PDB file of all heavy atoms in Angstrom:
ATOM      1  N   PHE A1035     131.216  78.632  32.074  1.00  0.00           N
ATOM      2  CA  PHE A1035     130.012  77.727  32.157  1.00  0.00           C
ATOM      3  C   PHE A1035     129.623  77.159  30.868  1.00  0.00           C
ATOM      4  O   PHE A1035     129.351  75.954  30.743  1.00  0.00           O
ATOM      5  CB  PHE A1035     128.792  78.584  32.728  1.00  0.00           C
ATOM      6  CG  PHE A1035     127.435  77.772  32.777  1.00  0.00           C
ATOM      7  CD1 PHE A1035     127.145  76.884  33.634  1.00  0.00           C
ATOM      8  CD2 PHE A1035     126.559  78.107  31.733  1.00  0.00           C
ATOM      9  CE1 PHE A1035     125.971  76.165  33.655  1.00  0.00           C
ATOM     10  CE2 PHE A1035     125.276  77.392  31.745  1.00  0.00           C
ATOM     11  CZ  PHE A1035     125.015  76.462  32.681  1.00  0.00           C
ATOM     12  N   MET A1036     129.576  78.050  29.803  1.00  0.00           N
ATOM     13  CA  MET A1036     129.171  77.462  28.536  1.00  0.00           C
ATOM     14  C   MET A1036     130.210  76.518  27.930  1.00  0.00           C
ATOM     15  O   MET A1036     129.839  75.425  27.289  1.00  0.00           O
ATOM     16  CB  MET A1036     129.015  78.710  27.541  1.00  0.00           C
ATOM     17  CG  MET A1036     127.900  79.626  27.787  1.00  0.00           C
ATOM     18  SD  MET A1036     126.352  78.899  27.894  1.00  0.00           S
ATOM     19  CE  MET A1036     126.003  78.414  26.223  1.00  0.00           C
ATOM     20  N   ARG A1037     131.498  76.673  28.235  1.00  0.00           N
ATOM     21  CA  ARG A1037     132.507  75.841  27.768  1.00  0.00           C
ATOM     22  C   ARG A1037     132.342  74.381  28.432  1.00  0.00           C
ATOM     23  O   ARG A1037     132.449  73.261  27.882  1.00  0.00           O
ATOM     24  CB  ARG A1037     133.880  76.221  28.116  1.00  0.00           C
ATOM     25  CG  ARG A1037     134.263  77.457  27.251  1.00  0.00           C
ATOM     26  CD  ARG A1037     135.653  77.859  27.481  1.00  0.00           C
ATOM     27  NE  ARG A1037     136.601  76.784  26.923  1.00  0.00           N
ATOM     28  CZ  ARG A1037     137.826  76.569  27.371  1.00  0.00           C
ATOM     29  NH1 ARG A1037     138.306  77.337  28.377  1.00  0.00           N
ATOM     30  NH2 ARG A1037     138.523  75.712  26.884  1.00  0.00           N
ATOM     31  N   ARG A1038     131.969  74.388  29.784  1.00  0.00           N
ATOM     32  CA  ARG A1038     131.799  73.185  30.448  1.00  0.00           C
ATOM     33  C   ARG A1038     130.413  72.444  29.994  1.00  0.00           C
ATOM     34  O   ARG A1038     130.419  71.186  29.923  1.00  0.00           O
ATOM     35  CB  ARG A1038     131.702  73.376  32.018  1.00  0.00           C
ATOM     36  CG  ARG A1038     133.073  73.786  32.591  1.00  0.00           C
ATOM     37  CD  ARG A1038     133.065  73.608  34.147  1.00  0.00           C
ATOM     38  NE  ARG A1038     131.959  74.566  34.729  1.00  0.00           N
ATOM     39  CZ  ARG A1038     132.275  75.895  35.137  1.00  0.00           C
ATOM     40  NH1 ARG A1038     133.481  76.182  35.091  1.00  0.00           N
ATOM     41  NH2 ARG A1038     131.378  76.493  35.548  1.00  0.00           N
ATOM     42  N   ARG A1039     129.528  73.289  29.646  1.00  0.00           N
ATOM     43  CA  ARG A1039     128.292  72.699  29.297  1.00  0.00           C
ATOM     44  C   ARG A1039     128.377  72.041  27.813  1.00  0.00           C
ATOM     45  O   ARG A1039     127.811  71.006  27.723  1.00  0.00           O
ATOM     46  CB  ARG A1039     127.177  73.762  29.242  1.00  0.00           C
ATOM     47  CG  ARG A1039     125.774  73.371  28.857  1.00  0.00           C
ATOM     48  CD  ARG A1039     124.872  74.461  28.798  1.00  0.00           C
ATOM     49  NE  ARG A1039     123.562  74.059  28.446  1.00  0.00           N
ATOM     50  CZ  ARG A1039     122.457  74.847  28.296  1.00  0.00           C
ATOM     51  NH1 ARG A1039     122.687  76.108  28.520  1.00  0.00           N
ATOM     52  NH2 ARG A1039     121.255  74.300  27.925  1.00  0.00           N
ATOM     53  N   ALA A1040     129.280  72.569  27.031  1.00  0.00           N
ATOM     54  CA  ALA A1040     129.504  72.043  25.668  1.00  0.00           C
ATOM     55  C   ALA A1040     130.325  70.805  25.684  1.00  0.00           C
ATOM     56  O   ALA A1040     130.258  69.974  24.800  1.00  0.00           O
ATOM     57  CB  ALA A1040     130.026  73.166  24.817  1.00  0.00           C
ATOM     58  N   ALA A1041     131.148  70.620  26.727  1.00  0.00           N
ATOM     59  CA  ALA A1041     132.023  69.522  26.712  1.00  0.00           C
ATOM     60  C   ALA A1041     131.310  68.236  27.153  1.00  0.00           C
ATOM     61  O   ALA A1041     130.440  68.243  27.995  1.00  0.00           O
ATOM     62  CB  ALA A1041     133.177  69.800  27.807  1.00  0.00           C
ATOM     63  N   ASP A1042     131.767  66.999  26.640  1.00  0.00           N
ATOM     64  CA  ASP A1042     131.126  65.815  26.919  1.00  0.00           C
ATOM     65  C   ASP A1042     131.687  65.464  28.437  1.00  0.00           C
ATOM     66  O   ASP A1042     132.786  65.722  28.784  1.00  0.00           O
ATOM     67  CB  ASP A1042     131.492  64.740  26.005  1.00  0.00           C
ATOM     68  CG  ASP A1042     130.913  64.980  24.597  1.00  0.00           C
ATOM     69  OD1 ASP A1042     129.889  65.493  24.507  1.00  0.00           O
ATOM     70  OD2 ASP A1042     131.637  64.692  23.502  1.00  0.00           O
ATOM     71  N   PRO A1043     130.900  64.654  29.116  1.00  0.00           N
ATOM     72  CA  PRO A1043     131.239  64.224  30.479  1.00  0.00           C
ATOM     73  C   PRO A1043     132.536  63.431  30.462  1.00  0.00           C
ATOM     74  O   PRO A1043     132.703  62.578  29.641  1.00  0.00           O
ATOM     75  CB  PRO A1043     130.137  63.310  30.941  1.00  0.00           C
ATOM     76  CG  PRO A1043     128.901  63.837  30.116  1.00  0.00           C
ATOM     77  CD  PRO A1043     129.502  64.200  28.831  1.00  0.00           C
ATOM     78  N   GLY A1044     133.558  63.804  31.297  1.00  0.00           N
ATOM     79  CA  GLY A1044     134.795  63.129  31.328  1.00  0.00           C
ATOM     80  C   GLY A1044     135.754  63.618  30.291  1.00  0.00           C
ATOM     81  O   GLY A1044     136.905  63.019  30.266  1.00  0.00           O
ATOM     82  N   GLN A1045     135.421  64.430  29.403  1.00  0.00           N
ATOM     83  CA  GLN A1045     136.277  64.914  28.380  1.00  0.00           C
ATOM     84  C   GLN A1045     136.896  66.323  28.662  1.00  0.00           C
ATOM     85  O   GLN A1045     136.236  67.040  29.266  1.00  0.00           O
ATOM     86  CB  GLN A1045     135.572  64.970  27.034  1.00  0.00           C
ATOM     87  CG  GLN A1045     135.003  63.572  26.576  1.00  0.00           C
ATOM     88  CD  GLN A1045     136.170  62.572  26.329  1.00  0.00           C
ATOM     89  OE1 GLN A1045     137.179  63.015  25.828  1.00  0.00           O
ATOM     90  NE2 GLN A1045     135.957  61.375  26.617  1.00  0.00           N
ATOM     91  N   PRO A1046     138.009  66.542  28.216  1.00  0.00           N
ATOM     92  CA  PRO A1046     138.660  67.967  28.353  1.00  0.00           C
ATOM     93  C   PRO A1046     137.847  68.977  27.714  1.00  0.00           C
ATOM     94  O   PRO A1046     137.139  68.807  26.681  1.00  0.00           O
ATOM     95  CB  PRO A1046     140.018  67.780  27.954  1.00  0.00           C
ATOM     96  CG  PRO A1046     139.976  66.595  26.901  1.00  0.00           C
ATOM     97  CD  PRO A1046     138.953  65.737  27.521  1.00  0.00           C
ATOM     98  N   LEU A1047     137.964  70.210  28.120  1.00  0.00           N
ATOM     99  CA  LEU A1047     137.302  71.294  27.529  1.00  0.00           C
ATOM    100  C   LEU A1047     137.956  71.584  26.213  1.00  0.00           C
ATOM    101  O   LEU A1047     139.113  71.477  25.925  1.00  0.00           O
ATOM    102  CB  LEU A1047     137.369  72.640  28.318  1.00  0.00           C
ATOM    103  CG  LEU A1047     136.719  72.509  29.729  1.00  0.00           C
ATOM    104  CD1 LEU A1047     136.992  73.915  30.555  1.00  0.00           C
ATOM    105  CD2 LEU A1047     135.273  72.175  29.674  1.00  0.00           C
ATOM    106  N   GLU A1048     137.009  71.970  25.241  1.00  0.00           N
ATOM    107  CA  GLU A1048     137.501  72.305  23.898  1.00  0.00           C
ATOM    108  C   GLU A1048     138.365  73.610  23.923  1.00  0.00           C
ATOM    109  O   GLU A1048     137.900  74.553  24.566  1.00  0.00           O
ATOM    110  CB  GLU A1048     136.338  72.544  22.960  1.00  0.00           C
ATOM    111  CG  GLU A1048     136.752  72.828  21.561  1.00  0.00           C
ATOM    112  CD  GLU A1048     135.615  72.933  20.478  1.00  0.00           C
ATOM    113  OE1 GLU A1048     134.449  72.659  20.990  1.00  0.00           O
ATOM    114  OE2 GLU A1048     135.845  73.259  19.310  1.00  0.00           O
ATOM    115  N   PRO A1049     139.580  73.607  23.384  1.00  0.00           N
ATOM    116  CA  PRO A1049     140.322  74.829  23.496  1.00  0.00           C
ATOM    117  C   PRO A1049     139.748  76.006  22.714  1.00  0.00           C
ATOM    118  O   PRO A1049     138.973  75.914  21.703  1.00  0.00           O
ATOM    119  CB  PRO A1049     141.680  74.433  22.752  1.00  0.00           C
ATOM    120  CG  PRO A1049     141.198  73.226  21.829  1.00  0.00           C
ATOM    121  CD  PRO A1049     140.237  72.559  22.505  1.00  0.00           C
ATOM    122  N   ILE A1050     140.005  77.228  23.212  1.00  0.00           N
ATOM    123  CA  ILE A1050     139.443  78.401  22.695  1.00  0.00           C
ATOM    124  C   ILE A1050     140.262  78.773  21.335  1.00  0.00           C
ATOM    125  O   ILE A1050     141.453  78.780  21.359  1.00  0.00           O
ATOM    126  CB  ILE A1050     139.538  79.579  23.546  1.00  0.00           C
ATOM    127  CG1 ILE A1050     138.641  79.248  24.868  1.00  0.00           C
ATOM    128  CG2 ILE A1050     139.161  80.943  23.035  1.00  0.00           C
ATOM    129  CD1 ILE A1050     138.758  80.376  25.984  1.00  0.00           C
ATOM    130  N   ALA A1051     139.476  79.078  20.365  1.00  0.00           N
ATOM    131  CA  ALA A1051     140.180  79.530  19.088  1.00  0.00           C
ATOM    132  C   ALA A1051     140.520  80.931  19.204  1.00  0.00           C
ATOM    133  O   ALA A1051     139.815  81.833  18.663  1.00  0.00           O
ATOM    134  CB  ALA A1051     139.203  79.160  17.898  1.00  0.00           C
ATOM    135  N   TRP A1052     141.668  81.152  19.765  1.00  0.00           N
ATOM    136  CA  TRP A1052     142.163  82.538  20.141  1.00  0.00           C
ATOM    137  C   TRP A1052     142.264  83.360  18.873  1.00  0.00           C
ATOM    138  O   TRP A1052     141.907  84.597  18.898  1.00  0.00           O
ATOM    139  CB  TRP A1052     143.440  82.476  20.920  1.00  0.00           C
ATOM    140  CG  TRP A1052     143.301  82.006  22.334  1.00  0.00           C
ATOM    141  CD1 TRP A1052     143.666  80.861  22.839  1.00  0.00           C
ATOM    142  CD2 TRP A1052     142.605  82.631  23.352  1.00  0.00           C
ATOM    143  NE1 TRP A1052     143.391  80.771  24.212  1.00  0.00           N
ATOM    144  CE2 TRP A1052     142.640  81.856  24.552  1.00  0.00           C
ATOM    145  CE3 TRP A1052     141.986  83.980  23.487  1.00  0.00           C
ATOM    146  CZ2 TRP A1052     142.133  82.260  25.771  1.00  0.00           C
ATOM    147  CZ3 TRP A1052     141.468  84.381  24.727  1.00  0.00           C
ATOM    148  CH2 TRP A1052     141.530  83.475  25.841  1.00  0.00           C
TER     149      TRP A1052
END
Side-chain angles (χ1 to χ4, degrees):
F1035 171 78
M1036 296 301 293
R1037 292 186 67 205
R1038 287 195 299 268
R1039 184 179 180 182
D1042 294 328
Q1045 298 296 322
L1047 299 178
E1048 184 178 350
I1050 297 177
W1052 288 108

